[in-house]
Amino acid sequence: MIIGVTGGIASGKSTVARAFAALGIPWVDADEVAREVVEPGEPALAEIAARHGRRVLLADGRLDRRALREIVFADPAERRWLESVTHPRIRERLLAHLERLQARGAPYVLLVSPLLFESGQHRLVDRSLVIDVPEALQIARTAARDEVDETQARAILAAQMPRAERLALADDVIDNGGDEQALAAQVAELDRRYRHLAGSHPPR
C-alpha cells in the first residue's frame, strides 16, 4: 500500500515522514527525484538546455534552478512545456523507487510530494494524507526558513493549491499546528490504521 503525503509550503511534510520512518516506514521524496531527473547527463537536462541555452546552466553544467524558475513563473506555456519534459520521467523513477521499497517487505510506504494532486502523482497512491497548518503559521515558517519577507512568503503560498481544495481531496489529515507530542500521537494513530488497512490490501 502506498500513502501519498502532501501539504503546502512549510507544513512539515519531511518532519512527518521522519516520524513515520521512526516507526519503520520507508519513504520516497518526490522533490529529490525531481532533482535527479535534471542532473548532468540526464535527457531532461539536455532538452531544457536545448530550449533555453546556457542561461539556464551554471558554470559546472548543472541546472540553474533560479533562472529556470524565473522563466516558468513568467510564462505558463513554458511551465507546461517543462512539466511535459520532467513529469513523465519523475513518475517513472518514482515507481521504480516505490517498487524497490515495497520489495523490502514494509507494511506500507510513503510517497512525499508537495505537488501530489497538481502533478497527477495521487494516481500512484492508495490513500492521500494532507499535512495541514494554519496559513499564518505557514507564512511565519516560510519567512524564517527561506529568509524571505512576509510579502514574498504570501506570494509563494498564493501560487500553491488553495488549502481548502487540498483538504477536500484528502483521505486523511494531520494537524501540524501544535507541538511535537501532538504530531507524534497523530502519526502513531495513522500508523496503526495504515498497518490494519495494509493487512487487508490486495497486492499490486
Side-chain angles (χ1 to χ4, degrees):
M1 190 169 75
I2 302 172
I3 308 297
V5 180
T6 194
I9 190 168
S11 57
K13 295 178 289 294
S14 295
T15 300
V16 168
R18 286 191 292 270
F20 276 102
L23 300 174
I25 302 304
W27 54 296
V28 176
D29 186 334
D31 270 353
E32 287 184 12
V33 173
R35 287 190 286 272
E36 286 177 15
V37 302
V38 290
E39 285 291 312
E42 291 286 345
L45 181 59
E47 288 191 43
I48 293 166
R51 188 175 181 89
H52 296 295
R54 297 292 307 180
R55 63 179 173 151
V56 295
L57 297 178
L58 299 169
D60 64 359
R62 292 182 176 277
L63 180 65
D64 185 337
R65 296 175 186 285
R66 178 170 297 203
L68 183 61
R69 190 160 53 238
E70 288 174 0
I71 292 169
V72 300
F73 268 134
D75 187 343
E78 286 299 329
R79 178 175 56 81
R80 288 192 293 272
W81 176 84
L82 180 65
E83 289 171 351
S84 75
V85 169
T86 58
H87 283 188
R89 292 180 168 105
I90 292 168
R91 183 182 188 278
E92 182 180 343
R93 201 161 296 197
L94 282 174
L95 283 169
H97 282 307
L98 289 165
E99 285 172 8
R100 279 196 292 272
L101 291 181
Q102 288 172 313
R104 295 178 188 172
Y108 61 94
V109 298
L110 306 181
L111 168 56
V112 181
S113 174
L115 299 176
L116 185 76
F117 299 122
E118 297 94 322
S119 67
Q121 290 169 5
H122 64 285
R123 298 188 188 96
L124 305 179
V125 307
D126 300 295
R127 292 184 70 83
S128 58
L129 168 60
V130 167
I131 316 306
D132 185 52
V133 294
E135 289 184 359
L137 186 53
Q138 274 185 285
I139 291 165
R141 287 178 179 174
T142 301
R145 186 190 69 184
D146 297 346
E147 298 181 348
V148 297
D149 61 28
E150 184 178 329
T151 301
Q152 289 174 298
R154 287 186 181 277
I156 294 169
L157 196 64
Q160 298 190 330
M161 176 180 280
R163 180 186 180 194
E165 188 176 339
R166 190 184 298 114
L167 288 170
L169 293 169
D171 294 307
D172 306 298
V173 177
I174 280 181
D175 177 0
N176 195 20
D179 58 22
E180 288 182 17
Q181 283 185 315
L183 178 62
Q186 292 176 82
V187 169
E189 174 58 33
L190 279 172
D191 178 61
R192 285 191 290 271
R193 187 188 310 170
Y194 291 155
R195 286 174 187 269
H196 174 74
L197 289 171
S200 58
H201 191 272
R204 285 176 170 249

